Coordinates of all heavy atoms in Angstrom, one line a residue:
M113 N -8.0 -5.6 2.5 CA -8.0 -4.3 2.2 C -7.5 -4.2 0.8 O -6.6 -4.6 0.3 CB -7.1 -3.5 3.1 CG -7.0 -2.0 2.7 SD -5.7 -1.1 3.7 CE -6.5 -1.2 5.4
E114 N -8.4 -3.4 -0.1 CA -8.0 -3.0 -1.4 C -6.7 -2.2 -1.5 O -6.6 -1.3 -0.8 CB -9.1 -2.4 -2.2 CG -8.9 -2.1 -3.6 CD -10.0 -1.3 -4.2 OE1 -11.1 -1.1 -3.6 OE2 -9.8 -0.8 -5.3
Q115 N -5.9 -2.5 -2.4 CA -4.7 -1.8 -2.6 C -4.9 -0.5 -3.4 O -5.4 -0.6 -4.6 CB -3.6 -2.7 -3.3 CG -2.3 -2.0 -3.4 CD -1.1 -3.0 -3.7 OE1 -1.4 -4.2 -3.8 NE2 0.0 -2.4 -4.2
K116 N -4.6 0.6 -2.9 CA -5.0 1.7 -3.5 C -3.9 2.2 -4.6 O -4.3 2.8 -5.5 CB -5.2 2.9 -2.5 CG -6.2 2.6 -1.5 CD -7.5 3.4 -1.9 CE -8.7 3.3 -1.1 NZ -8.7 2.6 0.2
Q117 N -2.7 1.9 -4.3 CA -1.7 2.4 -5.1 C -1.2 1.1 -6.0 O -1.4 0.0 -5.5 CB -0.4 3.1 -4.5 CG 0.0 2.4 -3.2 CD 1.0 1.2 -3.5 OE1 0.8 0.5 -4.4 NE2 2.0 1.3 -2.6
H118 N -0.5 1.5 -7.1 CA 0.0 0.3 -7.9 C 1.4 0.7 -8.3 O 1.7 1.1 -9.4 CB -0.9 0.1 -9.1 CG -2.4 -0.2 -8.8 ND1 -2.7 -1.6 -8.4 CD2 -3.4 0.5 -8.8 CE1 -4.0 -1.6 -8.1 NE2 -4.4 -0.3 -8.3
I119 N 2.3 0.3 -7.4 CA 3.8 0.7 -7.7 C 4.3 -0.6 -8.1 O 4.3 -1.6 -7.3 CB 4.5 1.2 -6.5 CG1 3.8 2.6 -6.2 CG2 5.8 1.4 -6.8 CD1 4.3 3.2 -4.8
H120 N 4.8 -0.8 -9.4 CA 5.4 -1.9 -9.8 C 6.9 -1.9 -9.6 O 7.6 -0.9 -10.0 CB 5.1 -2.2 -11.3 CG 3.7 -2.2 -11.6 ND1 2.8 -3.2 -11.4 CD2 2.9 -1.2 -12.1 CE1 1.7 -2.9 -11.7 NE2 1.6 -1.6 -12.1
C121 N 7.5 -2.9 -8.9 CA 8.8 -2.8 -8.6 C 9.5 -4.2 -8.7 O 9.0 -5.3 -8.4 CB 9.0 -2.4 -7.1 SG 10.7 -2.3 -6.6
L122 N 10.7 -4.3 -9.3 CA 11.3 -5.5 -9.6 C 12.4 -5.8 -8.5 O 13.2 -6.8 -8.6 CB 11.9 -5.5 -10.9 CG 11.1 -5.1 -12.1 CD1 11.8 -5.2 -13.3 CD2 9.8 -6.0 -12.1
V123 N 12.6 -5.0 -7.4 CA 13.6 -5.2 -6.4 C 13.2 -6.0 -5.4 O 12.6 -5.7 -4.3 CB 13.9 -3.8 -5.9 CG1 15.3 -3.9 -4.9 CG2 14.4 -2.8 -7.0
D124 N 13.2 -7.4 -5.6 CA 12.7 -8.4 -4.7 C 13.4 -8.6 -3.5 O 13.0 -9.5 -2.6 CB 12.4 -9.7 -5.5 CG 13.6 -10.4 -6.0 OD1 14.7 -9.8 -5.8 OD2 13.6 -11.5 -6.4
T125 N 14.5 -7.9 -3.3 CA 15.3 -8.0 -2.0 C 14.9 -7.0 -1.0 O 15.4 -6.8 0.0 CB 16.8 -7.8 -2.2 OG1 16.9 -6.7 -3.1 CG2 17.4 -9.0 -3.0
C126 N 13.8 -6.2 -1.4 CA 13.2 -5.2 -0.5 C 12.3 -5.8 0.4 O 11.3 -6.5 0.0 CB 12.7 -4.1 -1.4 SG 12.0 -2.7 -0.3
H127 N 12.2 -5.3 1.6 CA 11.2 -5.8 2.7 C 9.8 -5.5 2.1 O 8.9 -6.3 2.4 CB 11.5 -5.0 4.0 CG 10.3 -5.0 4.9 ND1 10.0 -6.2 5.7 CD2 9.4 -4.2 5.3 CE1 9.0 -6.0 6.4 NE2 8.6 -4.8 6.2
Y128 N 9.5 -4.6 1.4 CA 8.2 -4.1 0.9 C 7.8 -4.8 -0.4 O 6.6 -4.7 -0.9 CB 8.2 -2.6 0.8 CG 8.3 -1.8 2.0 CD1 9.5 -1.1 2.3 CD2 7.4 -1.9 3.1 CE1 9.7 -0.4 3.4 CE2 7.6 -1.2 4.3 CZ 8.8 -0.5 4.4 OH 9.0 0.1 5.6
W129 N 8.7 -5.5 -1.0 CA 8.4 -6.2 -2.3 C 7.3 -7.3 -2.1 O 7.3 -7.9 -1.1 CB 9.6 -6.7 -3.0 CG 9.3 -7.4 -4.2 CD1 9.4 -6.8 -5.5 CD2 9.1 -8.8 -4.5 NE1 9.1 -7.7 -6.4 CE2 8.9 -8.9 -5.8 CE3 8.9 -9.9 -3.6 CZ2 8.7 -10.2 -6.4 CZ3 8.6 -11.1 -4.2 CH2 8.5 -11.2 -5.6
G130 N 6.4 -7.3 -3.0 CA 5.4 -8.5 -3.0 C 5.3 -9.2 -4.3 O 5.8 -8.9 -5.4
E131 N 4.6 -10.4 -4.2 CA 4.3 -11.2 -5.4 C 3.7 -10.4 -6.5 O 2.9 -9.4 -6.3 CB 3.3 -12.3 -5.0 CG 3.8 -13.4 -4.1 CD 5.0 -14.1 -4.7 OE1 5.1 -14.3 -5.8 OE2 6.0 -14.3 -4.0
G132 N 4.1 -10.7 -7.8 CA 3.7 -10.1 -8.9 C 4.4 -8.7 -9.2 O 4.0 -7.9 -9.9
N133 N 5.6 -8.6 -8.4 CA 6.3 -7.4 -8.6 C 5.6 -6.2 -8.2 O 5.6 -5.1 -8.9 CB 7.0 -7.3 -10.0 CG 8.0 -8.3 -10.3 OD1 8.7 -8.7 -9.3 ND2 8.1 -8.8 -11.5
R134 N 4.8 -6.3 -7.1 CA 4.1 -5.1 -6.5 C 4.6 -4.7 -5.3 O 4.9 -5.5 -4.3 CB 2.6 -5.5 -6.3 CG 1.9 -6.0 -7.6 CD 1.5 -4.9 -8.5 NE 0.3 -4.1 -7.9 CZ -0.9 -4.4 -8.1 NH1 -1.3 -5.4 -9.0 NH2 -1.9 -3.7 -7.6
C135 N 4.9 -3.3 -5.1 CA 5.3 -2.8 -3.8 C 4.1 -2.7 -2.8 O 3.1 -2.4 -3.2 CB 5.7 -1.3 -4.2 SG 6.3 -0.5 -2.6
Q136 N 4.4 -3.3 -1.7 CA 3.4 -3.4 -0.6 C 3.5 -2.3 0.4 O 2.7 -2.4 1.4 CB 3.5 -4.7 0.0 CG 3.2 -5.9 -0.9 CD 1.8 -6.0 -1.5 OE1 0.9 -5.6 -0.6 NE2 1.5 -6.2 -2.6
A137 N 4.3 -1.3 0.2 CA 4.5 -0.2 1.1 C 3.2 0.7 1.0 O 2.8 0.9 0.0 CB 5.7 0.5 0.9
R138 N 2.7 1.2 2.1 CA 1.6 2.1 2.1 C 1.9 3.4 1.4 O 1.1 4.1 0.9 CB 1.1 2.3 3.6 CG 0.3 1.2 4.1 CD -0.1 1.6 5.5 NE -0.8 0.4 6.2 CZ -2.0 0.2 6.0 NH1 -2.8 0.9 5.2 NH2 -2.6 -1.0 6.5
E139 N 3.2 3.8 1.5 CA 3.7 5.0 0.8 C 5.2 4.7 0.6 O 5.9 4.1 1.3 CB 3.4 6.2 1.6 CG 4.0 6.1 3.1 CD 3.6 7.3 4.0 OE1 3.2 8.4 3.5 OE2 3.6 7.1 5.2
I140 N 5.7 5.4 -0.4 CA 7.1 5.4 -0.8 C 7.7 6.8 -1.0 O 6.8 7.7 -1.3 CB 7.5 4.5 -1.8 CG1 7.1 5.0 -3.2 CG2 7.0 3.1 -1.6 CD1 7.7 4.4 -4.4
M141 N 8.9 7.1 -0.9 CA 9.4 8.3 -1.4 C 10.6 8.1 -2.3 O 11.5 7.3 -2.2 CB 10.0 9.2 -0.2 CG 10.5 10.5 -0.5 SD 10.7 11.6 0.9 CE 12.3 10.9 1.5
V142 N 10.5 8.7 -3.5 CA 11.6 8.7 -4.5 C 12.3 10.0 -4.6 O 11.6 11.0 -4.6 CB 10.9 8.4 -6.0 CG1 11.9 8.4 -7.1 CG2 10.2 7.0 -5.9
T143 N 13.7 9.9 -4.6 CA 14.5 11.2 -4.5 C 15.6 11.0 -5.5 O 15.7 10.0 -6.2 CB 15.0 11.2 -3.1 OG1 16.2 10.4 -2.9 CG2 14.1 11.2 -1.9
S144 N 16.3 12.0 -5.7 CA 17.5 11.9 -6.5 C 18.5 11.1 -5.6 O 18.5 10.9 -4.5 CB 18.3 13.3 -6.6 OG 18.7 13.7 -5.3
D145 N 19.3 10.4 -6.4 CA 20.4 9.4 -5.8 C 21.2 10.2 -4.8 O 21.5 9.7 -3.7 CB 21.3 8.9 -6.9 CG 20.9 7.7 -7.5 OD1 19.8 7.2 -7.0 OD2 21.5 7.3 -8.5
S146 N 21.6 11.5 -5.1 CA 22.5 12.1 -4.2 C 21.9 12.5 -2.9 O 22.4 12.4 -1.9 CB 23.1 13.5 -4.9 OG 21.9 14.3 -5.2
F147 N 20.5 12.8 -2.9 CA 19.8 13.0 -1.7 C 19.7 11.7 -0.9 O 19.9 11.8 0.3 CB 18.5 13.7 -2.0 CG 17.7 14.0 -0.7 CD1 17.8 15.2 0.0 CD2 16.7 13.1 -0.3 CE1 17.1 15.4 1.0 CE2 16.0 13.4 0.9 CZ 16.2 14.5 1.5
G148 N 19.2 10.7 -1.7 CA 19.1 9.5 -1.0 C 20.3 8.9 -0.3 O 20.2 8.4 0.8
A149 N 21.5 9.1 -1.0 CA 22.8 8.7 -0.3 C 23.2 9.6 0.9 O 23.9 9.1 1.6 CB 23.8 8.6 -1.4
S150 N 22.7 10.9 0.9 CA 23.3 11.7 2.0 C 22.4 11.7 3.2 O 22.7 12.3 4.2 CB 23.3 13.2 1.4 OG 22.0 13.6 1.1
Q151 N 21.2 11.0 3.1 CA 20.1 11.1 4.3 C 20.1 9.7 5.0 O 20.2 8.7 4.4 CB 18.8 11.5 3.8 CG 18.8 12.9 3.2 CD 19.1 14.0 4.1 OE1 18.7 14.0 5.2 NE2 20.1 14.8 3.7
P152 N 19.9 9.8 6.4 CA 19.8 8.5 7.0 C 18.5 7.9 6.7 O 17.6 8.4 6.1 CB 19.8 9.0 8.5 CG 19.3 10.4 8.5 CD 19.8 10.9 7.2
D153 N 18.3 6.5 7.1 CA 17.1 5.8 6.8 C 15.8 6.4 7.5 O 14.7 6.4 7.0 CB 17.2 4.4 7.4 CG 18.2 3.6 6.6 OD1 18.5 3.9 5.4 OD2 18.6 2.5 7.1
E154 N 16.0 7.2 8.5 CA 14.8 7.8 9.2 C 14.1 8.8 8.3 O 13.0 9.2 8.5 CB 15.3 8.6 10.5 CG 15.6 7.7 11.6 CD 17.2 7.1 11.6 OE1 17.8 7.5 10.6 OE2 17.5 6.3 12.3
V155 N 14.8 9.4 7.3 CA 14.3 10.4 6.4 C 13.7 9.6 5.3 O 14.3 9.0 4.5 CB 15.4 11.3 5.8 CG1 14.7 12.3 4.8 CG2 16.0 12.1 6.9
D156 N 12.3 9.7 5.3 CA 11.5 8.8 4.4 C 10.1 9.5 4.1 O 9.9 10.6 4.4 CB 11.4 7.4 4.9 CG 11.4 6.4 3.7 OD1 10.5 6.5 2.9 OD2 12.2 5.5 3.7
A157 N 9.3 8.6 3.6 CA 7.9 9.2 3.1 C 7.2 10.1 4.2 O 6.5 10.9 3.8 CB 7.1 8.0 2.6
R158 N 7.4 9.7 5.4 CA 6.6 10.5 6.4 C 7.0 11.9 6.4 O 6.3 12.8 6.9 CB 6.8 9.8 7.8 CG 6.5 8.4 7.9 CD 5.1 8.1 7.3 NE 4.0 8.6 7.8 CZ 3.2 8.1 8.7 NH1 3.4 6.9 9.3 NH2 2.1 8.8 9.2
Q159 N 8.2 12.3 6.0 CA 8.6 13.6 6.0 C 8.6 14.3 4.6 O 8.9 15.4 4.4 CB 10.1 13.7 6.4 CG 10.4 13.4 7.8 CD 10.7 11.9 8.1 OE1 11.2 11.3 7.3 NE2 10.0 11.4 9.1
A160 N 8.0 13.5 3.6 CA 8.0 13.9 2.3 C 7.4 15.4 2.0 O 7.9 16.2 1.2 CB 7.3 13.1 1.4
K161 N 6.3 15.8 2.8 CA 5.7 17.1 2.5 C 6.5 18.2 3.1 O 6.3 19.3 2.6 CB 4.4 17.0 3.4 CG 3.4 16.1 2.7 CD 2.0 16.3 3.5 CE 0.9 15.5 2.9 NZ -0.3 15.4 3.7
T162 N 7.5 17.9 3.8 CA 8.3 19.1 4.3 C 9.7 19.2 3.7 O 10.4 20.1 4.1 CB 8.5 18.9 5.9 OG1 9.3 17.7 6.1 CG2 7.2 18.7 6.7
L163 N 10.0 18.4 2.8 CA 11.3 18.3 2.1 C 11.3 19.1 0.8 O 10.2 19.2 0.2 CB 11.8 16.9 1.9 CG 11.9 16.0 3.1 CD1 12.1 14.6 2.7 CD2 13.1 16.5 3.9
D164 N 12.4 19.6 0.5 CA 12.5 20.4 -0.8 C 12.7 19.3 -1.9 O 13.2 18.3 -1.7 CB 13.8 21.3 -0.8 CG 13.7 22.5 0.2 OD1 12.5 22.9 0.4 OD2 14.7 22.9 0.7
P165 N 12.2 19.6 -3.1 CA 12.3 18.7 -4.3 C 13.8 18.5 -4.6 O 14.7 19.3 -4.4 CB 11.7 19.6 -5.4 CG 10.7 20.5 -4.8 CD 11.3 20.8 -3.5
T166 N 14.1 17.3 -5.1 CA 15.4 16.9 -5.4 C 15.5 16.6 -6.9 O 15.4 15.5 -7.3 CB 16.0 15.8 -4.6 OG1 15.2 14.7 -5.0 CG2 15.8 16.1 -3.1
P167 N 15.8 17.6 -7.8 CA 15.8 17.4 -9.3 C 16.7 16.3 -9.8 O 17.8 16.0 -9.2 CB 16.3 18.7 -9.8 CG 16.1 19.7 -8.8 CD 16.3 18.9 -7.5
A168 N 16.5 15.5 -10.9 CA 17.3 14.7 -11.5 C 17.1 14.8 -13.1 O 16.1 15.3 -13.5 CB 16.9 13.2 -11.0
D169 N 18.1 14.3 -13.7 CA 17.9 14.5 -15.3 C 17.8 13.1 -16.0 O 17.5 13.2 -17.2 CB 19.3 15.1 -15.8 CG 19.5 16.5 -15.3 OD1 18.4 17.3 -15.3 OD2 20.6 16.9 -15.0
S170 N 17.8 12.0 -15.2 CA 17.4 10.8 -15.8 C 17.0 9.7 -14.7 O 17.2 10.0 -13.6 CB 18.7 10.2 -16.6 OG 19.6 9.7 -15.6
C171 N 16.5 8.7 -15.2 CA 16.0 7.7 -14.2 C 17.2 7.1 -13.4 O 17.1 6.6 -12.3 CB 15.2 6.6 -14.9 SG 16.1 5.7 -16.1
M172 N 18.3 7.1 -14.0 CA 19.5 6.5 -13.4 C 20.0 7.4 -12.2 O 20.7 7.0 -11.4 CB 20.7 6.4 -14.3 CG 20.5 5.3 -15.3 SD 19.5 5.5 -16.7 CE 20.6 6.4 -17.7
E173 N 19.4 8.6 -12.1 CA 19.8 9.5 -11.1 C 18.7 9.6 -10.0 O 18.7 10.4 -9.1 CB 20.1 10.9 -11.6 CG 21.2 11.0 -12.5 CD 21.4 12.5 -13.1 OE1 20.6 13.4 -12.7 OE2 22.2 12.6 -13.9
T174 N 17.8 8.6 -9.9 CA 16.7 8.6 -8.9 C 16.7 7.3 -8.1 O 17.4 6.3 -8.6 CB 15.3 8.7 -9.6 OG1 15.0 7.6 -10.2 CG2 15.2 10.0 -10.4
C175 N 16.2 7.3 -7.0 CA 16.2 6.0 -6.2 C 14.9 6.0 -5.4 O 14.4 7.0 -5.1 CB 17.5 6.0 -5.3 SG 17.5 7.1 -3.9
C176 N 14.7 4.8 -4.9 CA 13.5 4.6 -4.0 C 14.2 4.8 -2.5 O 14.8 3.8 -2.2 CB 12.8 3.3 -4.1 SG 11.6 3.0 -2.9
K177 N 13.9 5.8 -1.9 CA 14.4 6.0 -0.5 C 13.8 5.1 0.4 O 14.4 4.9 1.5 CB 14.2 7.5 -0.1 CG 14.8 7.9 1.2 CD 16.3 8.0 1.1 CE 16.9 8.6 2.5 NZ 16.8 7.6 3.6
T178 N 12.6 4.6 0.2 CA 12.0 3.7 1.1 C 12.5 2.2 1.1 O 12.1 1.4 2.0 CB 10.4 3.7 0.7 OG1 9.9 5.0 0.6 CG2 9.6 2.9 1.8
F179 N 13.3 1.8 0.2 CA 13.9 0.5 0.1 C 14.5 0.2 1.5 O 15.3 1.0 2.1 CB 15.1 0.5 -0.9 CG 15.8 -0.8 -0.9 CD1 15.4 -1.9 -1.6 CD2 17.0 -0.8 -0.1 CE1 16.1 -3.1 -1.4 CE2 17.6 -2.0 0.1 CZ 17.4 -3.2 -0.6
V180 N 14.2 -1.0 2.0 CA 14.8 -1.6 3.2 C 15.1 -3.0 2.8 O 14.2 -3.8 2.3 CB 13.9 -1.6 4.4 CG1 14.5 -2.3 5.6 CG2 13.5 -0.2 4.7
S181 N 16.4 -3.5 3.0 CA 16.7 -4.8 2.7 C 16.0 -5.9 3.6 O 15.8 -5.5 4.8 CB 18.3 -4.9 3.0 OG 18.6 -6.3 2.9
K182 N 15.6 -6.9 2.9 CA 14.9 -8.0 3.7 C 15.9 -8.5 4.8 O 15.5 -8.9 5.8 CB 14.5 -9.1 2.7 CG 13.3 -8.8 1.9 CD 12.9 -10.0 1.1 CE 11.7 -9.8 0.3 NZ 11.4 -10.9 -0.6
K183 N 17.2 -8.6 4.5 CA 18.2 -9.1 5.4 C 18.4 -8.2 6.6 O 18.4 -8.7 7.8 CB 19.5 -9.2 4.7 CG 19.4 -10.4 3.6 CD 20.8 -10.5 2.9 CE 20.7 -11.5 1.7 NZ 21.9 -11.6 1.0
G184 N 18.5 -6.9 6.4 CA 18.9 -6.1 7.5 C 17.8 -5.2 8.0 O 18.0 -4.0 8.4
Y185 N 16.5 -5.8 7.9 CA 15.3 -4.8 8.2 C 15.3 -4.2 9.7 O 15.5 -5.0 10.5 CB 14.1 -5.7 8.1 CG 12.9 -4.9 8.3 CD1 12.5 -3.9 7.6 CD2 12.0 -5.3 9.4 CE1 11.4 -3.0 8.0 CE2 10.8 -4.5 9.6 CZ 10.6 -3.4 8.9 OH 9.4 -2.8 9.2
T186 N 15.2 -2.9 9.6 CA 15.1 -2.3 10.8 C 13.9 -1.1 10.7 O 13.9 -0.6 9.6 CB 16.3 -1.5 11.3 OG1 16.7 -0.6 10.3 CG2 17.4 -2.4 11.6
K187 N 13.0 -1.1 11.6 CA 11.9 -0.3 11.4 C 12.1 1.2 11.9 O 11.8 1.5 13.0 CB 10.7 -0.9 12.3 CG 9.3 -0.3 11.9 CD 9.0 -0.6 10.5 CE 7.6 0.1 10.1 NZ 7.5 0.0 8.6
V188 N 12.8 1.9 11.1 CA 13.2 3.2 11.4 C 12.6 4.3 10.6 O 12.5 5.5 10.9 CB 14.7 3.5 11.3 CG1 15.4 2.6 12.4 CG2 15.2 3.3 10.0
D189 N 11.8 4.0 9.4 CA 11.4 5.0 8.6 C 10.0 5.3 8.7 O 9.4 6.2 8.1 CB 11.6 4.6 7.0 CG 11.1 3.2 6.8 OD1 10.3 2.7 7.5 OD2 11.3 2.7 5.6
G190 N 9.2 4.5 9.6 CA 7.8 4.9 9.9 C 6.9 4.4 8.8 O 5.7 4.6 8.9
V191 N 7.4 3.7 7.7 CA 6.5 3.3 6.6 C 6.0 1.9 7.0 O 6.8 1.0 7.7 CB 7.4 3.1 5.3 CG1 6.5 2.5 4.2 CG2 7.9 4.6 5.0
R192 N 4.7 1.6 6.7 CA 4.1 0.3 7.0 C 3.7 -0.4 5.7 O 3.5 0.2 4.6 CB 2.9 0.5 7.8 CG 3.2 1.0 9.1 CD 2.0 1.0 10.1 NE 1.0 2.0 9.4 CZ -0.3 1.9 9.6 NH1 -0.9 0.8 10.3 NH2 -1.2 2.7 9.0
R193 N 3.7 -1.8 5.7 CA 3.3 -2.5 4.6 C 1.6 -2.5 4.5 O 1.0 -2.2 5.5 CB 3.6 -4.0 4.8 CG 5.0 -4.2 4.6 CD 5.4 -5.7 4.8 NE 4.8 -6.6 3.8 CZ 5.3 -7.1 2.7 NH1 6.5 -6.8 2.5 NH2 4.5 -7.9 1.9
M194 N 1.2 -2.8 3.4 CA -0.3 -2.8 3.1 C -0.9 -3.9 4.0 O -2.1 -3.7 4.5 CB -0.6 -3.1 1.6 CG -0.1 -2.0 0.7 SD -1.3 -0.7 0.8 CE -0.9 0.2 -0.8
S195 N -0.3 -5.1 4.1 CA -1.0 -6.1 5.0 C 0.1 -6.9 5.6 O 1.2 -6.7 5.5 CB -1.7 -7.1 4.0 OG -0.8 -7.5 2.9
Ligands
SF4_1403 S1 9.8 0.3 -1.2 FE1 10.7 0.9 -3.1 S2 12.3 -0.7 -3.5 FE2 10.9 -1.5 -2.0 S3 9.4 -2.7 -3.1 FE3 8.5 -0.6 -2.8 S4 9.2 0.6 -4.8 FE4 10.5 -1.3 -4.6

């Protein structure tokens, strides 16, 4: 299957990370750090359309909410890998 999105990510400890520093998640959700830290893993890309925007003033104040550690992987966010 052709990869439709091109998200480059250097976080190789994430379950969705792939060779060439390419994210292999079908969808991701980026939020402000404060929102990401306050929400459970279940809140992720599948709910993105229904959530309010979470402003940030710099890249240091944002995070990938879809990150899941390779070590502690649990399938709770509803996100799937490309392959
Ligand atoms: S889900 Fe987020 S942290 Fe994980 S590989 Fe994709 S962009 Fe990187």
Side-chain angles (χ1 to χ4, degrees):
M113 176 186 292
E114 182 183 351
Q115 186 170 347
K116 299 258 178 13
Q117 48 85 316
H118 299 282
I119 298 170
H120 305 281
C121 181
L122 309 184
V123 185
D124 65 351
T125 51
C126 178
H127 167 73
Y128 297 109
W129 181 89
E131 291 298 321
N133 290 324
R134 299 279 289 267
C135 175
Q136 296 294 320
R138 289 182 180 272
E139 55 188 337
I140 69 168
M141 184 167 77
V142 176
T143 74
S144 68
D145 271 352
S146 58
F147 180 85
S150 69
Q151 298 297 312
D153 287 346
E154 288 82 359
V155 176
D156 211 302
R158 305 313 299 262
Q159 291 88 39
K161 288 182 179 175
T162 64
L163 297 170
D164 293 329
T166 63
D169 292 323
S170 73
C171 61
M172 284 83 78
E173 296 177 5
T174 70
C175 70
C176 176
K177 184 72 174 66
T178 305
F179 170 88
V180 177
S181 171
K182 283 180 178 175
K183 293 179 181 174
Y185 179 60
T186 54
K187 194 64 183 164
V188 296
D189 58 12
V191 175
R192 293 185 297 150
R193 285 180 63 100
M194 291 281 198
S195 54

